[in-house]
Amino acid sequence: MLRKILTEPDPILRKKCEPLEKVDIDTKNLMDDMLETMYAAPGIGLAAVQVGILKRLIVIDISKGEEQKKPLFLINPKIINQSKKTSVYEEGCLSIPGLFAEIERPAECILKYIDYHGKEKELKAEGLLATCIQHEVDHLNGVLFIDYLSKLKKDMIIKKLVKQKKGIERVIV
Ligand code: GNR
Ligand code: NI
């Protein structure tokens, strides 16, 4: 089932998400819905909070169009190490449609998480995957990529988004 993706500024996107206690059928249903919603968007990652569920749950798939799909389900992810070396990617977010900005983050990270089957796993990520994981883990803590921009830029962006939501297309003075 497709779920509705919340967009900024929505106060839910700023809440801290709670860990899951168990991986049950409801969790799996939600993760399946999240993956379907992410593919349909289309996007390469989605956190549960983006569909209004305040749980520490992420789906990711960075495979390209032609390639075999490679979905990753990350439950209660915990970044246990981040490299000193950084990298810059142009990021977008399904909760801030149409906005893209270059963001600098640690180039590599090591992650502990629980997988779709409830098993504890560890993953070392680099490149786009590392960036995507960090972008998604930020969502679980109420952080959006625009938070890394200057206050001036961020304020401008939020003002525009508020106007868009109110349906104001032009402001004439
Ligand atoms: O689809 C997405 N693309 C993307 C590109 C660069 C860095 C991060 C991302 S994640 C984003 C989907 C999304 O909003 N996930 O929360
Ligand atoms: Ni996002």
Side-chain angles (χ1 to χ4, degrees):
M1 184 187 84
L2 279 179
R3 306 247 181 167
K4 188 173 170 274
I5 298 177
L6 305 180
T7 55
E8 175 76 347
D10 186 316
I12 301 211
L13 292 170
R14 296 308 192 165
K15 300 220 150 124
K16 195 171 155 70
C17 300
E18 295 297 324
L20 271 103
E21 264 143 47
K22 55 182 185 323
V23 182
D24 57 17
I25 190 71
D26 291 338
T27 312
K28 289 186 182 181
N29 268 329
L30 173 58
M31 289 193 289
D32 292 343
D33 283 358
M34 284 168 60
L35 194 70
E36 189 186 341
T37 305
M38 183 192 81
Y39 284 143
I44 59 170
L46 190 73
V49 59
Q50 293 180 277
V51 295
I53 310 284
L54 293 169
K55 291 285 177 199
R56 304 189 81 79
L57 200 57
I58 291 167
V59 298
I60 290 178
D61 191 338
I62 59 162
S63 66
K64 300 234 173 71
E66 317 278 275
E67 297 168 18
Q68 167 124 33
K69 285 195 167 42
K70 272 180 92 178
L72 249 177
F73 299 92
L74 308 176
I75 302 165
N76 299 345
K78 191 161 191 274
I79 294 172
I80 56 170
N81 210 338
Q82 284 170 303
S83 63
K84 283 229 173 68
K85 201 182 98 197
T86 61
S87 63
V88 175
Y89 274 93
E90 182 165 272
E91 298 197 18
C93 182
L94 295 173
S95 295
I96 318 174
L99 184 80
F100 301 89
E102 290 196 329
I103 305 291
E104 183 176 15
R105 298 183 187 268
E108 294 168 21
C109 62
I110 301 176
L111 187 81
K112 272 199 169 153
Y113 65 98
I114 295 169
D115 75 3
Y116 192 87
H117 306 289
K119 253 184 85 181
E120 260 202 59
K121 289 269 178 72
E122 208 174 292
L123 171 72
K124 184 169 183 223
E126 54 175 33
L128 179 59
L129 180 60
T131 287
C132 188
I133 287 172
Q134 293 172 85
H135 174 117
E136 301 310 334
V137 171
D138 272 353
H139 273 301
L140 305 184
N141 298 318
V143 175
L144 301 174
F145 79 87
I146 51 171
D147 299 349
Y148 297 107
L149 304 176
S150 70
K151 180 165 166 18
L152 186 73
K153 270 195 187 175
K154 187 179 154 182
D155 287 351
M156 259 167 42
I157 290 161
I158 292 181
K159 249 191 205 164
K160 274 198 182 179
L161 295 170
V162 169
K163 277 184 194 160
Q164 268 177 23
K165 272 201 174 171
K166 287 186 178 156
I168 304 168
E169 252 125 57
R170 301 181 299 156
V171 180
I172 302 163
V173 286

